[in-house]
Amino acid sequence: MTYDQIITNGTVVTAKGKQRADVALTGEKITAIGNGLAKKAPAARIIDATGKFVLPGLLDVHVHLEMPFMGAISADDWNTGTRAAARGGVTTVIDFAIPQGTQTLEQAHQTWLAKAKDKACIDYAWHSVITNWDRHGPEMAAMVALGCPTFKEFMIYKAEGLESDDRALFNALEACHKLNAMLLVHAESARVLDELVARHHTPALMAKYGARLHAMTRPNFIEAEAIARVIKWSEVTGGQLYIVHMSTRDGAKLVRDAQQRGVPVVAETCVQYLVLDDSKFARPDGHLFACCPQIKKKKDQERLWKGLDRGEVSVVSTDTCTFNRTQKGLWNGDWTKIPMGLPGVETMLPLLYTHGVLQGRISLRQLVEKCAANPAKLMGLWGRKGNLAPGFDADIVIIDPKKKIAVDHATMETNADWNPYQGWKLAGFAENTFSRGRQIVDDYKFIGQNGWGQWLPRKQAGKL
Ligand SMILES: [Zn+2]
């Protein structure tokens, strides 16, 4: 076996643990992990990683690039979004293909392929969003056969044409059980949420509370009731359920209890729920921080970190859905009109490294487990992504634990003219990133190529 490139002398970290070792690459694959590999391949390019950590490229399995939403289109497209990912050490993104109007799931898949193909700098896939059970349900088997075994349903967003009712959730979970597929669910309780929003939607309250109404109208029970309900549908159908962007301590407890009685449910949280809290809404520019679900309280943060450590939270993602100041400005004082979403894929690894690993909340091994191994396994990409081992794609990130960089939207790849973490000094940005053997970040600068990324077909989903 000849090696083209060898990353030497670094500390290799996988979900199994840490070791001092070299990593050898041949073409697009990892071909050996061991010591003294450079001696066996004198012609190989050597990348010295002394004092650095060598990790599998992360997966961010929850992003929305150039997505039409609330009268705007999210500002990171398949180019800036994947460049931002590369600089954040993310080498695979999974988006959501949303049928527009009467489109089929397959038509939405084709629409997303057309958007991503020439722009994406890293590999990608998407979950198929079921917006109408009667039309999309019968397509599920064909989508799995096509390589798309993950589906998404929203329990809210009736006005946007996205909402699924209990019948759609029950049926989709039943189908997932038959198809070795997985259902991702946005769990919030729609009718009670609508009621709370209506009660607060008055000129007087909007003038008084501004963006704080976003948090005031979404108490924790809005998420908890929906999670409890959909867990019941998973329990009775046996369908694999994945709660996206879980944001509350109440949700973490429900998932833990369900897992203990054998319900096939896993949970994802997002970085913003681990490091931001709802005091941000009181800032003069607090409306910028609106995402959905909204950021919660310190107590919720601590419970979610604990859930990562204990295991009931299996995945961290970002729900990247970037809107710039002008787009966010559409709110004009009415919190129900703020395009909801935050930039995030570029800062996931540094935030988790700095606020998780360096503060002793999770280990670096756990970070790799939650952002690489577990998402790869659950989404049906294990064997190719999420690990450093022979046969896996050479998707690799090297971080320097000593190098801190201040977050500044002006110098970042993300197409946002603000950042929720502006000025935060973070260690863990990617010094080097490799995507299928090709170096795409060098010395913290993006050097990749548009269209390099490939769509990733998958056979099944939901197995940890
Ligand atoms: Zn989302």
Side-chain angles (χ1 to χ4, degrees), residues 94-111:
I94 308 190
D95 202 281
F96 295 81
I98 307 177
Q100 304 294 310
T102 57
Q103 274 192 332
T104 63
L105 296 181
E106 208 213 311
Q107 284 167 336
H109 166 68
Q110 294 299 342
T111 303

Side-chain angles (χ1 to χ4, degrees), residues 45-298:
R45 175 189 177 215
I46 302 294
I47 298 105
D48 181 16
T50 304
K52 316 275 169 72
F53 290 116
V54 182
L55 320 179
L58 306 192
L59 292 83
D60 186 348
V61 299
H62 191 154
V63 302
H64 301 278
L65 304 178
E66 52 186 292
M67 178 178 76
F69 186 55
M70 298 182 77
I73 294 177
S74 63
D76 273 310
D77 69 3
W78 279 91
N79 187 235
T80 63
T82 56
R83 290 170 68 110
R87 198 166 163 270
V90 172
T91 51
T92 303
V93 286
I94 308 190
D95 202 281
F96 295 81
I98 307 177
Q100 304 294 310
T102 57
Q103 274 192 332
T104 63
L105 296 181
E106 208 213 311
Q107 284 167 336
H109 166 68
Q110 294 299 342
T111 303
W112 253 248
L113 261 186
K115 288 202 261 191
K117 195 165 57 72
D118 298 330
K119 290 185 184 172
C121 310
I122 58 168
D123 291 349
Y124 53 86
W126 30 75
H127 315 289
S128 296
V129 179
I130 295 170
T131 60
N132 180 307
W133 172 258
D134 290 320
R135 287 193 289 104
H136 296 148
E139 269 193 87
M140 286 176 72
M143 291 309 294
V144 174
L146 191 67
C148 302
T150 49
F151 299 88
K152 163 93 177 272
E153 289 185 338
F154 292 88
M155 293 172 79
I156 62 163
Y157 295 138
K158 188 166 195 173
E160 288 80 4
L162 298 173
E163 187 183 302
S164 287
D165 60 12
D166 283 338
R167 172 175 170 263
L169 293 160
F170 178 85
N171 278 324
L173 281 162
E174 201 174 55
C176 284
H177 182 56
K178 288 194 197 108
L179 295 168
N180 286 320
M182 182 164 71
L183 184 68
L184 287 70
V185 172
H186 176 134
E188 288 189 295
S189 192
R191 296 291 84 79
V192 177
L193 173 61
D194 289 346
E195 172 65 15
L196 295 183
V197 168
R199 284 186 196 175
H200 291 80
H201 203 246
T202 68
L205 288 176
M206 287 196 277
K208 186 169 177 193
Y209 294 112
R212 278 178 285 174
L213 286 166
H214 188 39
M216 290 163 64
T217 51
R218 284 181 141 91
N220 281 15
F221 62 73
I222 292 292
E223 181 174 272
E225 186 279 332
I227 289 179
R229 184 154 35 101
V230 71
I231 278 176
K232 179 52 76 180
W233 304 145
S234 166
E235 184 168 16
V236 297
T237 58
Q240 181 63 50
L241 170 64
Y242 178 107
I243 305 291
V244 297
H245 52 47
M246 188 172 70
S247 63
T248 59
R249 57 190 188 276
D250 313 61
K253 184 174 184 313
L254 286 163
V255 168
R256 183 173 174 83
D257 291 350
Q259 287 174 339
Q260 284 176 345
R261 53 176 206 274
V263 181
V265 56
V266 292
E268 161 200 278
T269 193
C270 301
V271 184
Q272 56 270 32
Y273 306 118
L274 295 166
V275 299
L276 296 175
D277 67 73
D278 64 6
S279 62
K280 293 280 186 245
F281 295 123
R283 285 171 38 154
D285 62 353
H287 68 286
L288 295 174
F289 290 82
C291 55
C292 184
Q294 90 283 13
I295 47 179
K296 301 290 196 302
K297 307 218 178 287
K298 283 246 156 42

Side-chain angles (χ1 to χ4, degrees), residues 54 140 208 268 284 293 301-302 404 406 412 417:
V54 182
M140 286 176 72
K208 186 169 177 193
E268 161 200 278
Q301 286 179 13
E302 290 309 324
K404 288 202 170 182
M412 292 169 82
D417 53 2

Side-chain angles (χ1 to χ4, degrees), residues 7 10-19 21-25 29-34 53-58 91 368 372-373 382-398 434:
I7 300 167
T11 301
V12 172
V13 187
T14 68
K16 288 220 173 90
K18 281 186 199 169
Q19 61 174 127
D22 301 336
V23 181
L25 286 60
K29 297 286 182 185
I30 295 169
T31 40
I33 309 257
F53 290 116
V54 182
L55 320 179
L58 306 192
T91 51
V368 171
W382 191 247
R384 274 195 80 171
K385 305 294 189 188
N387 195 17
L388 297 176
F392 277 73
D393 284 355
D395 285 10
I396 301 169
V397 55
I398 301 176
F434 294 81

